[in-house]
Amino acid sequence: MNSAVDHKECSSLIQDVLKIFSGKWSFLVLAELIQGKRRFNELRRNLGNVNTKGLTDTLRHLEESGMISRKVFPTVPVTVEYKLTEKGKEFHSIFKEMAAWGGEMASVMEPFYFAFVLRFQIFLPFGIVIMCLNLQQKVIEYESDGNCSI
């Protein structure tokens, strides 16, 4: 294969992966589920300012993508539990790499460069930069607690 075909194929594969994380809350939901099983309200509380519809849409999207599984318990009221699938667990190492990369970039780059990247959408779409920064913050929070699992 020539390099143009390789590049096109690689770009297509990356776009497919990014579609999984296209939702505003996808990265943070996955980061939360890396910690273990969570019920809907646990996720909503732990994520802070997510609204019910946004979280529901994100969970459905991640379930359709095969990243998480949903288990319904026949209780009153109904209890729903979410956890990572094997496919979702495989992404854990990529989370770690992204967090490390985000830390390197934040310490090396000046704020005006981030503004340039965001303004002209060079290298990363806006959502990815925000997700990296949010993920980096989660890593810092877990490290300060002494139980970093990301």
Side-chain angles (χ1 to χ4, degrees):
M1 277 190 179
N2 66 32
S3 62
V5 173
D6 289 343
H7 177 71
K8 187 174 182 177
E9 184 177 324
C10 181
S11 294
S12 176
L13 292 171
I14 291 171
Q15 286 176 355
D16 291 344
V17 171
L18 289 176
K19 284 178 189 174
I20 294 172
F21 304 106
S22 61
K24 179 178 179 181
W25 299 101
S26 296
F27 259 56
L28 295 177
V29 166
L30 291 172
E32 189 66 32
L33 291 176
I34 285 172
Q35 309 299 313
K37 299 175 186 176
R38 297 285 189 266
R39 293 182 179 175
F40 183 87
N41 283 329
E42 284 180 287
L43 285 168
R44 196 166 48 97
R45 275 191 304 273
N46 293 348
L47 294 175
N49 62 349
V50 62
N51 64 37
T52 301
K53 183 187 180 325
L55 181 56
T56 300
D57 291 347
T58 298
L59 291 167
R60 282 188 186 140
H61 173 72
L62 290 172
E63 185 180 9
E64 289 167 2
S65 301
M67 298 296 286
I68 65 172
S69 65
R70 177 179 187 261
K71 185 174 182 181
V72 179
F73 296 92
T75 59
V76 178
V78 174
T79 302
V80 180
E81 187 176 80
Y82 298 91
K83 68 178 185 175
L84 292 177
T85 61
E86 287 306 311
K87 181 179 176 182
K89 290 175 185 175
E90 290 172 2
F91 209 75
H92 187 203
S93 61
I94 295 171
F95 271 139
K96 287 183 177 181
E97 289 297 318
M98 289 180 75
W101 183 82
E104 289 174 21
M105 292 301 106
S107 65
V108 171
M109 294 181 171
E110 296 292 326
F112 75 88
Y113 184 73
F114 271 116
F116 179 83
V117 169
L118 295 176
R119 171 110 166 86
F120 297 103
Q121 298 181 356
I122 296 174
F123 301 133
L124 298 171
F126 177 77
I128 299 297
V129 172
I130 298 304
M131 286 185 250
C132 287
L133 295 175
N134 285 338
L135 183 59
Q136 181 65 23
Q137 181 60 39
K138 274 196 149 316
V139 170
I140 291 168
E141 289 170 9
Y142 289 123
E143 285 176 348
S144 67
D145 292 341
N147 55 357
C148 179
S149 59
I150 290 182

